[in-house]
């Protein structure tokens, strides 16, 4: 049976961008505005503070891993950030050697080491797929994640043959490992929280495994061993969208991937995602994507 988490991460098509090592000391702060780019980091030594727009500040310490699948405005700083005065204005990071940056006053003894990275999601449906994931993942005491970040950083600098392919696979493994490590009861609404629910997990796997089946709320409720109304309410609370909205969004994401990657006809794509006719599928695709599937396929 299809693993929905692996499927979503694979369809996001993560691609490497930036990986760097940072040492810092004293009072310092770095701010970024990333327009929805994924950000991740591993704290190797010391402690710092992360402020992501719309969320509460998080104190990160040695052994912690952080992932923000769609970072916008955020700041990383010492536990006591610089004051907003000209005398303590944050200094720009200084690259002391390739890929190694120093933060804080020049005279301050370094007290934190971390690895940070950015990647991009090449999928046309990145917005939809990222919406199924937690807004922020904070994992404490999981050495596998720090090791994976080290591997990504090492591969970024090595320049060996096959670098891009290796980095893509490493990023996929890193994302899956981070997300399943965070699949606890406190996870925000989305796919992970749904998969943690034994009843909803069965229905979600059916949607991902058999997208061409004629799904209804009643049919999915039977797969979840719940009444129709209990299933609907439970699914919407856990996943964040109504069951049939999830089915339609997932079918359209698959259809776009089929048209882009496999070069199949509109009728074949329609059949693969559960539409009985090309015209019905084309109308649904146009509503969801904003253009006819044939035009989308040509552009892709």
């Amino acid at each position: 049976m299809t693993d929905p988490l692996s499927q979503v991460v694979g369809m996001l098509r993560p691609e490497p961008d930036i990986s760097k090592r940072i040492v810092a000391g004293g009072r310092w702060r770095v701010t970024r505005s990333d327009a929805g780019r994924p950000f991740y980091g591993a704290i190797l030594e010391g402690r710092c503070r992360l402020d992501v727009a719309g969320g509460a500040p998080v104190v990160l310490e040695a052994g912690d891993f952080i992932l923000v699948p769609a970072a916008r405005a955020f700041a990383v700083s010492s536990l006591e950030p610089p004051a907003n005065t000209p005398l303590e204005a944050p200094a720009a990071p200084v690259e002391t050697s390739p890929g190694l940056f120093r933060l804080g006053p020049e005279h301050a003894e370094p007290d934190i080491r971390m690895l940070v990275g950015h990647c991009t999601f090449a999928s046309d449906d990145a917005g939809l797929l990222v919406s199924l994931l937690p807004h922020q993942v904070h994992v404490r005491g999981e050495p596998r994640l720090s090791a994976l970040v080290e591997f990504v950083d090492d591969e970024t600098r090595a320049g060996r043959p096959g670098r891009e392919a290796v980095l893509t696979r490493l990023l996929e493994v890193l994302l899956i490992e981070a997300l399943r490590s965070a699949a606890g009861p406190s996870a925000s609404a989305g796919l992970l929280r749904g998969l943690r629910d034994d009843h909803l997990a069965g229905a979600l796997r059916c949607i991902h495994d058999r997208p061409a089946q004629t799904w209804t709320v009643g049919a999915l409720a039977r797969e979840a061993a719940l009444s129709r109304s209990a299933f609907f309410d439970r699914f919407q609370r856990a996943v964040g969208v109504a069951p049939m909205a999830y089915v339609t969004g997932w079918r359209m994401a698959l259809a776009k991937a089929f048209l882009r990657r496999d070069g199949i006809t509109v009728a074949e794509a329609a059949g693969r995602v559960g539409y009985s006719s090309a015209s019905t599928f084309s109308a649904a695709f146009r509503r969801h994507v904003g253009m006819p599937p044939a035009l989308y396929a040509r552009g892709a």
Side-chain angles (χ1 to χ4, degrees), residues 219-245:
L220 290 169
R222 286 191 293 274
E223 296 288 348
L226 295 168
S227 71
R228 190 180 183 281
S229 59
F231 169 74
F232 184 93
D233 292 343
R234 195 158 167 168
F235 191 101
Q236 185 148 3
R237 281 199 309 273
V239 183
V241 295
M244 296 315 297

Side-chain angles (χ1 to χ4, degrees), residues 41-282:
I43 309 303
L44 306 178
E45 182 182 302
R47 304 172 77 204
C48 66
R49 167 178 161 147
L50 173 71
D51 289 272
V52 179
V58 178
V59 173
L60 305 175
E61 58 187 51
D64 281 11
F65 173 86
I66 190 76
L67 166 69
V68 186
R72 296 190 184 277
F74 70 100
V76 185
S77 69
S78 51
L79 294 182
E80 188 178 348
N84 291 320
T85 66
L87 290 177
E88 284 203 76
V94 176
E95 189 168 15
T96 57
S97 62
L100 176 63
F101 290 80
R102 167 64 196 255
L103 295 170
E106 187 178 350
H107 64 273
E109 189 71 23
D111 55 17
I112 182 168
R113 292 189 307 117
M114 54 186 159
L115 280 168
V116 300
H118 298 264
C119 62
T120 58
F121 293 143
S123 170
D124 288 346
D125 273 311
L128 166 68
L129 298 169
V130 167
S131 73
L132 304 177
L133 305 178
H135 303 307
Q136 184 172 300
V137 173
H138 178 203
V139 182
R140 179 154 285 167
E142 182 47 76
R144 288 162 60 94
L145 287 167
S146 295
L148 283 166
V149 178
E150 293 261 20
F151 283 138
V152 171
D153 184 68
D154 176 69
E155 190 64 32
T156 299
R157 308 195 188 297
R160 292 183 285 257
R163 172 182 175 276
E164 296 302 316
V166 171
L167 279 171
T168 297
R169 299 298 179 270
L170 281 172
L171 285 170
E172 287 185 3
V173 174
L174 176 64
L175 291 171
I176 292 170
E177 186 68 31
L179 292 167
R180 70 183 184 181
S181 297
S186 61
S188 54
L191 179 63
L192 289 181
R193 194 160 147 197
L195 289 173
R196 186 176 173 82
D197 185 307
D198 290 340
H199 290 278
L200 299 182
L204 283 163
R205 290 193 177 96
C206 286
I207 294 168
H208 283 249
D209 201 43
R210 306 196 300 274
Q213 188 158 327
T214 306
W215 292 116
T216 63
V217 173
L220 290 169
R222 286 191 293 274
E223 296 288 348
L226 295 168
S227 71
R228 190 180 183 281
S229 59
F231 169 74
F232 184 93
D233 292 343
R234 195 158 167 168
F235 191 101
Q236 185 148 3
R237 281 199 309 273
V239 183
V241 295
M244 296 315 297
Y246 186 95
V247 170
T248 300
W250 184 245
R251 284 173 169 168
M252 291 300 120
L254 288 175
K256 290 169 76 174
F258 293 148
L259 291 166
R260 178 182 59 239
R261 183 189 62 218
D262 297 350
I264 63 176
T265 66
V266 171
E268 287 172 321
R272 287 193 191 184
V273 296
Y275 287 84
S276 57
S277 72
S279 59
T280 304
F281 166 70
S282 294

